[in-house]
Amino acid sequence: MGMNNTTYDFHSMIERRDGSSLKWNQILAYNRDLPAGVIPLTVADMELKNPPEIMEGLRDLLDHEKTVLGYAGPPESYTDAVIRFLATRHAWEIDRDWIVNTAGVVPAFWHAVQAFSHPGEGVIMMSPVYHPFFYAAEQFDRHVVNCPLIDNDGRYEINWTLFEKLADDPTNTVLLFCSPHNPVGRVWTEGELRRLGDICLKHDVLVLSDEIHFDIILPGHRHIVYATLGEAYAQRSITFSAPSKTFNLAGLKTSYAIIPNKGLREKYTGYMRRVSAASPTILGFKACEIAYTECLGWLDQVIDLIDKNRLFVEDFCSGRLPQIRPYPMEGTYLQWLDCRSLEMDDERLKELLWSEAHFFVTPGTTFGKGGEGFVRVNLACPTSYLKSALERLEQVIRHL
Ligand SMILES: Cc1ncc(COP(=O)(O)O)c(C=O)c1O
């Protein structure tokens, strides 16, 4: 399956200045005269070409005389590919009925929060965390119930005492869990997952597990899908994932929720119908199918690249930029950088990074409490971008 000897191109410069990229548009709106060679490292999509197998497959699909771009249903071959991928890559045997296709993980967990909690109730989450988690509660008259992670010298841990206390409150009905965790890069261990799950089962908190980053796991770590802990955990959880982070397909809006429990599934799909939730598209289903069957070699090489980039950033900072401390990264392609020793408030820090160094990274405060003094850097890019970005930063910091 997709195992070949191809070496993929992770070096070519891709400048997406044509208006088709959300990330680039945001940065170009900030600075219309972005110098050539400056690449934004903010939003989590890759500054890498898609796997050529996907582009070729989509081209073939469009060239096929019988292809029609009408309303899409999930082709059986797509569903088979998802099932096979979860079994082989994540040791998770699922039934095909459990798959609910969704047009994006963010809309999918927003809908789940609405389907499974009531206005006025609390949604537990652990900051610093992917910011749409907050909106999933706030925008729909639920409370953000924050259980901030504890920074244990660079390795974040769950605050168990607080978590149990929050779970024990019957008005806190769902947990929005990020696994692996964006932005702090933790890959939760089996022990942590089980402890978390046991607390949720005991207090009847539904686990909404966002596992969109589950394929990007760095050497020495192992991702465990929450629902694979056992039947009880599977029956009281929904897992959200997608090929979008892994294969750089976010623009195709193709994702899925896996819901083993029939009652939860029916309630969820009922809610989706009520709000007319969108479906993935024909191109998205096809791209996912190809990704999950033919692009595993590409994925392995991307993980190597991210690991190499992680080491590059670590070496650069320890040798030339001691004011910046990269936190250990276990998964995702997002590096959490501690900039607190610069002793700047967050506004000044952003000004220095964005305006003076053209070091376009996401301010840590985006991710809520605990993000102050940090920034998040996207490492899914050619190593040369990181080198020039860090060199620009080194110059600016030297002249402080
Ligand atoms: C934890 C997490 N969930 C969801 C998403 C985005 O999902 P989608 O583009 O499918 O809505 C991201 C993107 O960065 C993410 O980090």
Side-chain angles (χ1 to χ4, degrees):
M1 272 204 313
M3 289 303 158
N4 54 37
N5 297 321
T6 312
T7 301
Y8 295 97
D9 171 14
F10 298 138
H11 305 290
S12 291
M13 196 81 169
I14 305 166
E15 299 209 5
R16 293 188 282 166
R17 293 172 189 247
D18 63 351
S20 64
S21 155
L22 170 75
K23 167 168 47 189
W24 280 78
N25 290 359
Q26 283 173 350
I27 302 308
L28 289 165
Y30 178 84
N31 180 353
R32 263 184 337 125
D33 304 314
L34 204 63
V38 170
I39 308 295
L41 304 169
T42 50
V43 173
D45 67 8
M46 300 177 170
E47 295 301 322
L48 300 174
K49 290 184 187 173
N50 285 105
E53 293 83 354
I54 294 179
M55 298 321 231
E56 222 163 276
L58 293 182
R59 225 173 279 128
D60 281 353
L61 179 79
L62 291 173
D63 280 343
H64 197 281
E65 300 257 327
K66 290 181 185 153
T67 298
V68 171
L69 299 177
Y71 290 115
E76 232 173 271
S77 52
Y78 154 83
T79 306
D80 292 341
V82 171
I83 292 171
R84 232 179 11 244
F85 182 78
L86 293 177
T88 53
R89 208 83 191 177
H90 294 286
W92 192 15
E93 304 282 343
I94 63 161
D95 287 356
R96 43 199 324 118
D97 301 349
W98 300 356
I99 305 174
V100 177
N101 293 303
T102 59
V105 166
V106 170
F109 68 65
W110 283 11
H111 292 152
V113 165
Q114 292 167 75
F116 298 110
S117 69
H118 298 99
E121 291 180 352
V123 180
I124 306 175
M125 58 194 75
M126 300 171 185
S127 80
V129 73
Y130 182 53
H131 46 298
F133 277 35
F134 301 116
Y135 313 149
E138 282 164 357
Q139 296 186 135
F140 305 102
D141 304 316
R142 275 74 172 167
H143 299 295
V144 168
V145 175
N146 193 12
C147 183
L149 294 171
I150 295 172
D151 177 358
N152 189 359
D153 195 28
R155 189 167 189 268
Y156 285 84
E157 286 167 6
I158 292 169
N159 182 337
W160 295 110
T161 315
L162 180 59
F163 183 63
E164 175 122 37
K165 183 164 158 260
L166 298 174
D168 183 39
D169 179 340
T171 64
N172 298 334
T173 43
V174 298
L175 165 69
L176 251 180
F177 187 53
C178 197
S179 176
H181 193 98
N182 168 16
V184 308
R186 274 300 316 279
V187 173
W188 306 109
T189 63
E190 180 172 355
E192 287 171 312
L193 291 171
R194 214 169 270 291
R195 189 166 176 187
L196 175 123
D198 290 341
I199 293 171
C200 290
L201 287 174
K202 179 171 160 204
H203 299 288
D204 200 25
V205 171
L206 180 69
V207 178
L208 304 178
S209 189
D210 178 343
E211 306 197 19
I212 196 168
H213 294 279
F214 69 168
D215 296 313
I216 311 285
I217 304 300
L218 297 177
H221 301 278
R222 188 163 74 94
H223 176 80
I224 296 167
V225 171
Y226 174 79
T228 64
L229 291 176
E231 186 62 11
Y233 307 89
Q235 291 296 324
R236 284 297 291 157
S237 65
I238 299 182
T239 305
F240 301 90
S241 201
S244 49
K245 295 288 140 195
T246 314
F247 299 97
N248 209 16
L249 298 171
L252 287 181
K253 294 285 174 201
T254 299
S255 55
Y256 46 80
I258 310 287
I259 315 180
N261 180 277
K262 188 158 180 274
L264 289 182
R265 198 163 62 239
E266 284 173 356
K267 192 161 182 188
Y268 187 66
T269 51
Y271 187 83
M272 285 177 75
R273 273 194 297 280
R274 200 135 46 90
V275 295
S276 187
S279 151
T281 62
I282 288 175
L283 296 181
F285 283 131
K286 187 66 179 177
C288 179
E289 179 185 330
I290 299 169
Y292 279 1
T293 48
E294 295 177 42
C295 301
L296 304 183
W298 185 91
L299 171 56
D300 290 336
Q301 289 181 35
V302 161
I303 294 171
D304 287 347
L305 171 75
I306 291 159
D307 200 41
K308 180 172 151 224
N309 285 349
R310 173 187 71 82
L311 280 169
F312 176 80
V313 171
E314 258 180 38
D315 288 349
F316 193 102
C317 292
S318 69
R320 292 162 64 175
L321 256 179
Q323 300 88 338
I324 309 286
R325 178 183 173 206
Y327 267 30
M329 225 176 124
E330 301 176 349
T332 82
Y333 52 74
L334 306 164
Q335 170 71 67
W336 193 232
L337 284 186
D338 181 0
C339 306
R340 287 174 299 181
S341 79
L342 290 173
E343 296 185 344
M344 288 176 187
D345 65 36
D346 286 280
E347 216 169 296
R348 172 74 189 109
L349 180 63
K350 183 177 171 187
E351 170 78 14
L352 176 99
L353 299 177
W354 282 38
S355 163
E356 295 168 36
H358 291 139
F359 189 65
F360 290 103
V361 293
T362 308
T365 47
T366 309
F367 308 105
K369 189 171 178 317
E372 304 81 5
F374 287 83
V375 297
R376 191 194 74 176
V377 188
N378 183 342
L379 300 189
C381 64
T383 312
S384 63
Y385 295 179
L386 293 167
K387 181 166 185 288
S388 56
L390 287 168
E391 281 170 351
R392 287 194 302 271
L393 183 58
E394 184 189 23
Q395 284 301 316
V396 168
I397 289 183
R398 187 177 294 159
H399 291 105
L400 278 180

